[in-house]
Amino acid sequence: MGRLTVHRPVVKVVLGADGTTQRRRSDTLAVEEPLEIRIAGAPLAITMRTPGHDVELAAGFLVSEGVIARGDQFRAAIHCGGPGTAPIPAGATSLLGAPTSAENTYNVLDVALAPGVALPAPDLARSFYTTSSCGLCGKASIDAVETVSSYDVATDAATIAAADLLSLPDRLLAEQAGFGKTGGLHAAALFDAATGELLVVREDVGRHNAVDKVVGWALLDDRLPLTGTVLQVSGRASFELVQKAVMAGIPILSAVSAPSSLAVELAEASGLTLAGFVRGASMNLYARADRVLTGS
């Protein structure tokens, strides 16, 4: 597990009836650092993430981009630099813009795919720069990210009671230890739609990274496709989160906040159930409402 939080000094300012008061204190912040993902030594992508579960993050990212779809296609991963890593060619540079060295910063991850798995096309390198707020930054167009999924979520027979779906945000919040300390981390959780079992929770400064870590966990545990599951996210439902759910074979996506118009269009086209504003006693169902059982 990497560093989720750091402590920094701040000046606390409070406006009150008796005037303004100031005091110095320590504040807990969510860690944000770049991770460069390499495939067989070749730089592929950079994402700004919270360190921890980096292998899951890389695995989930590769599922989202259509590079792999099964656990047996992912062979291994290692943080570059330090003892036991492959030699670094003289003069080599990384996507992070600096010469590479043997020092292990744990911010470069080299992934090895299984024999016979096609490597990403060379023209994909350097085109995947992403940030913690947008999983699609660097993409030329929507057409470039509408990757065909290996799984058909439209045929998934999963259903869930409305009351059970409404309970998921609170269950997710109860597991968000990092958010409780910082207020600055997104989270994603995977639930079994039939039993309500919580399968996995991941936090990250980027909402798309949190989902990639969940999907990567499932890939490494050889659980893809994620038939009969619900993905609960702590924020809004963007296009890239719907895409990631579809690519992993998740039939139901539930978000605490609003979806985007393009997220709804992709959910409708893919046959994914999309719920937004899932709070308290109400929610909005934007696509495939038939999977949510209301009893009326």
Side-chain angles (χ1 to χ4, degrees):
M1 170 65 72
R3 295 180 304 137
L4 287 175
T5 63
V6 294
H7 297 282
R8 292 289 185 269
V10 299
V11 176
K12 179 78 170 182
V13 177
V14 179
L15 300 180
D18 298 331
T20 303
T21 61
Q22 298 185 46
R23 64 183 179 91
R24 295 187 177 275
R25 51 163 288 188
S26 176
D27 194 23
T28 304
L29 305 179
V31 172
E32 182 176 29
E33 294 179 358
L35 176 69
E36 177 177 314
I37 300 171
R38 298 179 181 177
I39 306 294
L44 176 67
I46 297 174
T47 185
M48 301 301 295
R49 98 301 189 196
T50 299
H53 304 291
D54 286 346
V55 176
E56 293 178 354
L57 172 58
F61 176 81
L62 294 176
V63 171
S64 298
E65 296 301 330
V67 177
I68 57 177
R70 304 188 314 273
D72 60 5
Q73 295 177 315
F74 190 99
R75 183 178 181 183
I78 188 171
H79 284 96
C80 295
T85 60
I88 299 173
T93 60
S94 73
L95 285 176
L96 298 178
T100 57
S101 71
E103 179 184 358
N104 199 336
T105 63
Y106 296 95
N107 284 337
V108 179
L109 189 74
D110 196 2
V111 174
L113 302 180
V117 178
L119 297 177
D123 60 356
L124 293 183
R126 300 181 184 274
S127 68
F128 283 129
Y129 178 80
T130 60
T131 72
S132 58
S133 61
C134 175
L136 303 181
C137 298
K139 298 288 191 175
S141 67
I142 293 301
D143 291 341
V145 296
E146 286 189 313
T147 313
V148 177
S149 176
S150 298
Y151 310 117
D152 183 9
V153 299
T155 61
D156 196 308
T159 59
I160 186 170
D164 292 337
L165 188 58
L166 286 167
S167 73
L168 299 189
D170 285 342
R171 294 181 62 188
L172 172 59
L173 182 60
E175 300 291 333
Q176 291 179 243
F179 177 81
K181 295 176 181 177
T182 68
L185 289 172
H186 292 281
L190 193 68
F191 294 89
D192 185 291
T195 66
E197 178 187 359
L198 172 61
L199 302 176
V200 65
V201 177
R202 292 291 181 262
E203 289 185 284
D204 198 277
V205 72
R207 60 173 61 85
H208 63 286
N209 289 340
V211 172
D212 275 343
K213 289 178 179 181
V214 165
V215 173
W217 168 86
L219 178 102
L220 297 176
D221 202 41
D222 202 23
R223 289 174 176 253
L224 294 188
L226 286 167
T227 306
T229 60
V230 182
L231 178 64
Q232 177 67 52
V233 296
S234 60
R236 61 186 178 86
S238 58
F239 173 88
E240 71 265 25
L241 295 196
V242 173
Q243 183 199 24
K244 290 176 186 298
V246 171
M247 294 297 291
I250 299 171
I252 303 171
L253 172 59
S254 171
V256 172
S257 298
S260 68
S261 63
L262 201 57
V264 174
E265 290 177 24
L266 181 58
E268 290 176 336
S270 304
L272 174 136
T273 296
L274 179 58
F277 293 107
V278 184
R279 307 171 183 173
S282 67
M283 65 182 124
N284 293 343
L285 299 176
Y286 295 90
R288 284 299 304 267
D290 57 291
R291 287 197 179 101
V292 180
L293 308 180
T294 61
S296 60

